[in-house]
Amino acid sequence: MRLFHVSEEPDIARFVPRIPLRDDMDKSKGLVWAIDEDHLPNFFTPRECPRVTYHVGENTSAEDIERFFSSSCRWCVAIEHAWVERMRSTTLYIYEFNPANFVLQDACAGNYVSEKTEIPIGITRIDDLFGALIERGIEVRLINNLWILRDAVVASSLNYSICDMWNAQPREGETP
């Protein structure tokens, strides 16, 4: 198994555990987060870019495959049009970790955590985020507003990960 952390910072020498910001997580201990190789493309976006990512899982229905995919791709990353220029101009750095200290946090999202300071064992630079997604066979969707897609994906039989929605356009009819 290979584990990674994605950042816009090019020179992180060590990852020190941080207290989680999410209210549903234990705030008594710091964590270093990593993502497995399969789910890595979910993070090929700029920091704080709202996105809905989804893919076919073992329990995904044929109806949902037909409804949510427009091609033979079985993985999708959807972002809002407002983030296209940031996607084009952002460089990402993919830090690889030794997986020895990590434990699975969320299988559907491919998240792993470590309570120890982690030193990267490798780093890869990505300058073309759209190209990196397409190269991995990911369907990229550009839409005006993520909320309708988000709600439909959550209600479906797909596996999904939804990130940074606080930066998404407001729901239709809502004011910021």
Side-chain angles (χ1 to χ4, degrees), residues 1 3-5 18-36 39 43 99 101-115 160-163:
M1 170 179 64
L3 295 177
F4 303 89
H5 182 91
R18 295 183 185 178
I19 300 297
L21 297 175
R22 289 179 23 193
D23 290 333
D24 64 332
M25 295 184 72
D26 180 0
K27 294 183 184 281
S28 68
K29 58 185 170 195
L31 300 170
V32 173
W33 282 267
I35 191 81
D36 67 24
H39 295 83
F43 294 89
N101 298 324
F102 286 88
V103 296
L104 182 63
Q105 181 191 46
D106 181 343
C108 185
N111 293 336
Y112 288 76
V113 293
S114 169
E115 295 179 20
Y160 62 87
S161 179
I162 297 168
C163 301

Side-chain angles (χ1 to χ4, degrees), residues 19-125:
I19 300 297
L21 297 175
R22 289 179 23 193
D23 290 333
D24 64 332
M25 295 184 72
D26 180 0
K27 294 183 184 281
S28 68
K29 58 185 170 195
L31 300 170
V32 173
W33 282 267
I35 191 81
D36 67 24
E37 192 168 17
D38 288 342
H39 295 83
L40 185 59
N42 289 351
F43 294 89
F44 288 0
T45 64
R47 181 170 176 78
E48 299 181 354
C49 175
R51 60 200 175 274
V52 174
T53 70
Y54 55 91
H55 63 278
V56 172
E58 64 182 47
N59 296 319
T60 303
S61 69
E63 295 81 15
D64 282 342
I65 292 171
E66 177 75 22
R67 178 178 177 202
F68 287 96
F69 294 96
S70 61
S71 68
S72 62
C73 292
R74 293 298 177 252
W75 202 291
C76 181
V77 172
I79 66 167
E80 292 176 331
H81 288 118
W83 285 82
V84 168
E85 285 309 313
R86 286 272 313 272
M87 282 284 288
R88 287 184 178 141
S89 64
T90 296
T91 296
L92 292 178
Y93 300 88
I94 314 303
Y95 294 89
E96 185 170 0
F97 295 124
N98 178 332
N101 298 324
F102 286 88
V103 296
L104 182 63
Q105 181 191 46
D106 181 343
C108 185
N111 293 336
Y112 288 76
V113 293
S114 169
E115 295 179 20
K116 299 180 186 239
T117 296
E118 297 291 340
I119 308 298
I121 60 172
I123 184 171
T124 303
R125 177 182 168 140

